[in-house]
Amino acid sequence: ENKTPVTEDILEVGLLVAFAMIAFSFILIIPGIRGWERLFATIRVFVALWIGAVILVSSFGYGWYTDTVRVQTQYKAFTTEEINADVGLHVGLRGVNITLKGEPLDPNGDLAGETINYNEQFYWANPWAQGRRGFGIYAGRFAREFRAAEFRGMPHPILWVAE
């Protein structure tokens, strides 16, 4: 299963749209407020909306650290074929998103015609409760998702970054 790389975080866009809808609703209500109270209420509401939006987008977004690097590396296990690829990393407070997009070095090799376009998310739901060591049923969520990605045969660059 090849997933597409992340272009926009849907949850982040949804949060921003929700706050924009609340702000628009308040703008419709403003004419019903009289005198100086209109200005003070507007300032209070928009500052509260701004603070709430910043907190939620910071908590749920994957924009804390973002980087991309161009690599030439082995693609998967049991093959000696190498690829030129862009490996992207997007780190947030709730997890990490790793993207891989590339093409084979040898256009006539084993990987000819294969689409190399992956996107994997690994979550750490609660960083202070990582579970037991290892990959068993009591291990942390990140370790379990990493082991599942190994069993699914994820490309080596994704597994190396996640490791």
Side-chain angles (χ1 to χ4, degrees):
E1 162 186 1
N2 285 343
K3 298 180 183 178
T4 60
V6 170
T7 55
E8 292 297 327
D9 189 2
I10 300 300
L11 181 60
E12 194 171 313
V13 171
L15 288 171
L16 293 176
V17 168
F19 278 100
M21 287 172 45
I22 294 170
F24 181 73
S25 299
F26 181 73
I27 289 172
L28 294 176
I29 295 172
I30 288 176
I33 303 173
R34 296 178 189 246
W36 283 99
E37 186 61 31
R38 177 182 302 165
L39 174 68
F40 298 136
T42 302
I43 291 172
R44 273 194 312 263
V45 167
F46 281 112
V47 167
L49 284 173
W50 172 257
I51 291 171
V54 167
I55 289 172
L56 285 177
V57 169
S58 297
S59 178
F60 287 100
Y62 281 93
W64 282 90
Y65 182 78
T66 302
D67 200 11
T68 302
V69 65
R70 184 85 174 155
V71 297
Q72 178 180 337
T73 183
Q74 182 184 4
Y75 178 47
K76 285 188 175 185
F78 309 115
T79 180
T80 58
E81 295 279 335
E82 289 192 341
I83 60 171
N84 276 329
D86 291 319
V87 179
L89 178 70
H90 307 279
V91 179
L93 289 178
R94 298 184 182 266
V96 63
N97 186 308
I98 304 167
T99 60
L100 175 73
K101 187 171 185 169
E103 65 276 343
L105 280 179
D106 183 10
N108 300 322
D110 293 340
L111 300 176
E114 184 164 345
T115 302
I116 303 170
N117 195 356
Y118 288 88
N119 175 42
E120 276 299 308
Q121 283 187 323
F122 297 95
Y123 297 99
W124 45 73
N126 186 353
W128 297 277
Q130 284 294 311
R132 297 182 187 167
R133 289 186 194 172
F135 300 104
I137 60 171
Y138 299 111
R141 183 174 182 179
F142 192 92
R144 291 192 315 262
E145 289 179 359
F146 178 78
R147 181 53 61 116
E150 283 182 323
F151 283 125
R152 283 195 319 266
M154 279 288 112
H156 283 304
I158 290 178
L159 295 175
W160 290 334
V161 171
E163 191 175 27

